[in-house]
Amino acid sequence: MASADEFDQFDSFDRDFHRVLFERSGILGLWATMRRLSVHLDRLRRLNLPMPGKLETVLADHRTIIEAVRSGEPEKAVAAMRKHLSGTLSIIDLICE
């Protein structure tokens, strides 16, 4: 199991990954808006991170997104991003337990 410091570092890297996607998409202004409005989602993400397999799933999702973007497959990238973004939201009840 990762330590609290490792979760903090992972969370920071994860946030950077998403910021870079917004930046490279030319919508960095939207990133700032999203960050201001995502307090509750951030709390859910932090509660979800220590769950078994979550870190590995996030990394695998990120790899899939990067591969789709690099290979010029926008439909695959969109599908991978939707899957990734729905991960925490799909288990809110479990996180609350």
Side-chain angles (χ1 to χ4, degrees):
M1 174 90 133
S3 69
D5 287 340
E6 289 168 320
F7 285 126
D8 287 343
Q9 187 175 26
F10 183 88
D11 188 50
S12 177
F13 290 148
D14 183 63
R15 199 177 315 253
D16 287 346
F17 173 80
H18 289 269
R19 182 189 48 75
V20 167
L21 289 176
F22 277 79
E23 184 179 292
R24 300 262 173 106
S25 298
I27 54 173
L28 194 54
L30 182 57
W31 171 253
T33 300
M34 194 209 57
R35 293 300 317 136
R36 279 195 316 273
L37 301 173
S38 66
V39 175
H40 297 297
L41 181 57
D42 288 345
R43 187 176 305 122
L44 283 170
R45 287 178 54 248
R46 288 301 303 223
L47 290 169
N48 188 202
L49 272 179
M51 296 177 116
K54 180 60 179 180
L55 296 177
E56 294 80 6
T57 298
V58 170
L59 290 173
D61 287 352
H62 286 186
R63 283 186 199 103
T64 302
I65 293 163
I66 290 168
E67 289 169 10
V69 170
R70 280 188 179 152
S71 65
E73 299 178 80
E75 297 84 13
K76 185 176 176 183
V78 168
M81 197 66 178
R82 284 189 175 146
K83 176 192 173 288
H84 177 62
L85 293 175
S86 69
T88 297
L89 296 177
S90 68
I91 61 167
I92 288 175
D93 291 339
L94 180 62
I95 294 169
C96 289
E97 287 178 17

